[in-house]
Amino acid sequence: MGAIEVPVLIVGGGGCGLSASVFLSDQGVDHLLVERHPDTSRVPKAHYLNQRTMEIFRQHGVADDVLAEAAPLDKFGKVRWQTTLAGDGPLERRLIHEMDAFGGGELREVYAAAGPLLPAKLPQMWLEPILRRHAEERNPGRILFHHELVSFSDEGDHVVAEVRDLETGESTTVTAQYLIGADGGRMVGAEVGIELQGPPGLVNTTTVYFSADLSQWWEEGTLITHFLSPEDPDLSCNLIEMGPRWGKECEQWGLHFAPGPPGRWDNESVVPRIRELLRIPDLEVTVHKVTDWIVHAHLADRYRVGRVLIAGDAAHRQPPAVGLGLNTGIQDAHNLAWKLAAVLGGRATDGLIDTYEAERRPVGRENVDWAVSAAVHHQAVIDAVGAGHNIPAGRRRQRLEAYFDPSPLGDTERARALEIFHTHRGGCQSLDMEVGFHYEDGAIVGDGSEPPARVPMRNEHRPTSRPGHRLPHAWIAAGDRRLSTLDLTGRTDFTLITGPQGTRWCEAAARVAEKFSVRVTTVRIGDGGEYADVDGGWAAVRGISDAGALLVRPDQHVAWRATDGARDAEEALAEVFAAMLDR
Ligand SMILES: Cc1cc2nc3c(=O)[nH]c(=O)nc-3n(C[C@H](O)[C@H](O)[C@H](O)COP(=O)(O)OP(=O)(O)OC[C@H]3O[C@@H](n4cnc5c(N)ncnc54)[C@H](O)[C@@H]3O)c2cc1C
């Protein structure tokens, strides 16, 4: 392979890097992706795809393929705590508590109102091949697995990188205008002096990935089932379906034990532990892999240094609680792709790329902190029933017996615990963390309004068209075609949404688009517009009058809004584009 010149080099073919590739291709940006492994992840890892990620996949034509393999919500919309999976002793197979989670059960209606798609569950080992296929179809010959970034240097106006083919040992020089480090924080950030800041590793987690037929005992319908052992805190763990089929048909499983020392088990020695904790002494188990990994709470001090940008775990690492890790990485890539496209296409200056850090780092901070707080709080929840990790072996049985006791005092124990379980909604019902993140500073033109107050548990989302926020979802229709307002957004284009009397804004937008060489799609929603407001949902959230306008970025965040008509619409829009595109 001779020397390569390409606008963007992506390092890392995990969930973040592959998503970045798909998004860049859809923006028409030529790029090369290198991934050192010969194949996508062989371990399941993250498995929850939140609503915002699914909307992004929908915008890029990936959602249908994900949904074809993913578990539907009725197969995972709960979290459960129980003593053991099987066994018939008085404290075995006892349900401690279960609650609706991640849009399941009674939450479904609220989640369905928030967006065009519900969350989905698909572990990374099944998701990444879909992303890889989409990336390769869009960019044939340029998604190079088994290729490693060996070194690179930022030359000021370009990056020069050495990439090695790990099969042949051959090295190639790649010259790129920008380099995206989606390498999980293994190399790129550190090379340019980016520091991942935060406390030392929080806890070692051991994940056991295995196949077994648990259909006889498994109560389907949970994203996570926590087992709180009546005897041994070290046997407390959680069990997660890893597919490829779901519910009782699930064949592969992930068991997470934390805390505990690394290296405590290998593929053989863990088998008796699995049988013991599940209380199935003769269970046939095939262990695929035992991995130890450290849970971190790290945030990069910068997301950009010169021509180098970082995204995904390279920029933030957090406990798996709330499932924000991979989702945040995919959303980083979505924020960055249109900005790179605009700059590389000459429609914006390099300053637009600075807004990536200004917008995404505060979200990274919030998501890391939220995941830590949810993980810590989970300890309080399980302490409440006497099964926390700090409750010693001898006390656990006694406390759980008290919890299940049919006496009036048992009623009190359960009522107390119930109140505490209820506080866990911040850990598994935090819809506003999933779709409510927004930008205060960046490629937006604020209108001086305050953001809506957020519910402390983040389990309520208040949609708003305020600049910086995600465009609110509402169902609209043109003839027989029913679509979400989010479907109006292009992958590269800006979208100007007005009320039915917004014709002047639309005409002005056409002239400004020409001046700035950007594409702006204009739509009017409401009586007399191109789209009907199907059930009044849009009127309830649009935040503008019939004569007002919203400018929406390719990443579906509102860039600017005019609540009403303006005397000089063209001048107003020209100012917005100049500010947003840093021109
Ligand atoms: C066992 C386990 C369970 C987890 N469970 C959850 C969960 O339930 N929920 C959740 O949200 N998160 C979970 N996570 C975290 C989640 O997997 C990560 O947030 C996610 O993988 C981050 O994606 P990424 O693409 O940023 O990084 P990665 O998935 O780490 O991908 C980075 C890629 O870069 C490649 N790379 C690195 N250096 C180079 C180089 N020099 N040249 C070429 N390629 C390179 C690596 O090989 C790797 O494939 C879990 C992680 C583990 C390990």
Side-chain angles (χ1 to χ4, degrees), residues 402-418:
Y403 180 82
F404 288 116
D405 196 277
S407 67
L409 194 55
D411 287 342
T412 309
E413 288 282 340
R414 287 186 292 281
R416 273 195 194 120
L418 185 64

Side-chain angles (χ1 to χ4, degrees), residues 251-284:
E251 294 150 30
Q252 302 182 20
W253 306 87
L255 254 181
H256 296 80
F257 296 86
R264 55 185 149 166
W265 299 305
D266 59 23
N267 284 16
E268 281 79 46
S269 62
V270 78
V271 172
R273 291 302 264 182
I274 296 175
R275 291 181 178 140
E276 186 186 0
L277 85 93
L278 299 178
R279 297 289 201 276
I280 313 171
D282 51 357
L283 183 71
E284 270 187 47

Side-chain angles (χ1 to χ4, degrees), residues 353-364:
I353 293 175
D354 283 333
T355 68
Y356 166 64
E357 175 180 310
E359 293 182 352
R360 292 304 299 170
R361 192 168 175 275
V363 175

Side-chain angles (χ1 to χ4, degrees), residues 403-438:
Y403 180 82
F404 288 116
D405 196 277
S407 67
L409 194 55
D411 287 342
T412 309
E413 288 282 340
R414 287 186 292 281
R416 273 195 194 120
L418 185 64
E419 289 194 14
I420 295 171
F421 272 116
H422 190 50
T423 61
H424 190 59
R425 62 198 187 282
C428 62
Q429 301 179 351
S430 49
L431 172 65
D432 198 41
M433 289 303 294
E434 302 183 1
V435 296
F437 62 82
H438 60 275

